[in-house]
Amino acid sequence: MSKSLNEQPPAYPHSTTSTSFELQDRPEKSQPLQTVVPLSGLTCSPAPVECPGCNFHGMTVTKQKIGNTTHAWAVGTWAFTCILCCVPYCIAATKDIIHICRSCGAHLATWHRSGHTEVLLYN
């Protein structure tokens, strides 16, 4: 019942051990998969843009910023509860969104929770 170390394992009929493959025809340069969003059309999520500063085509980086909507919510919660006025400053849904170029770090636009987009870098 003991097997020697020199014995080969049995061959399985359905196994393929071939590691060769053929490359498919691919374009040399990658094509952008998404259309570019104009800076005035940016909203609360990252979007593909063309940076006017460095001409980079790619997704923006987004960060949250306390804005007028945050302050309005704080005044509203204070007026109705007389406490808890700091809660809106801890909630992401009350903050404005800053869009930043992933390549050069330029501040492209700010989307305010009121629905207005303020473009800061123009062509």
Side-chain angles (χ1 to χ4, degrees):
M1 284 202 115
S2 68
K3 295 183 179 181
S4 72
L5 296 176
N6 294 334
E7 286 184 30
Q8 296 292 326
Y12 296 103
H14 297 295
S15 69
T16 57
T17 57
S18 174
T19 57
S20 64
F21 58 91
E22 294 181 28
L23 293 177
Q24 298 175 354
D25 294 331
R26 296 182 184 173
E28 291 183 19
K29 292 184 179 180
S30 63
Q31 301 294 326
L33 298 176
Q34 298 175 333
T35 59
V36 173
V37 175
L39 295 180
S40 61
L42 293 173
T43 59
C44 62
S45 59
V49 297
E50 178 182 359
C51 176
C54 66
N55 293 324
F56 173 75
H57 290 265
M59 298 295 282
T60 60
V61 174
T62 57
K63 294 184 179 180
Q64 298 174 356
K65 172 185 149 187
I66 294 172
N68 290 336
T69 305
T70 312
H71 299 310
W73 276 101
V75 169
T77 56
W78 177 79
F80 289 109
T81 64
C82 295
I83 54 171
L84 303 174
C85 60
C86 61
V87 172
Y89 296 102
C90 302
I91 299 173
T94 64
K95 297 180 182 178
D96 296 341
I97 305 296
I98 297 173
H99 288 271
I100 300 169
C101 175
R102 188 177 297 271
S103 176
C104 68
H107 184 171
L108 302 174
T110 301
W111 180 75
H112 300 280
R113 288 287 168 181
S114 62
H116 167 67
T117 301
E118 178 183 4
V119 178
L120 300 171
L121 192 61
Y122 295 94
N123 287 337

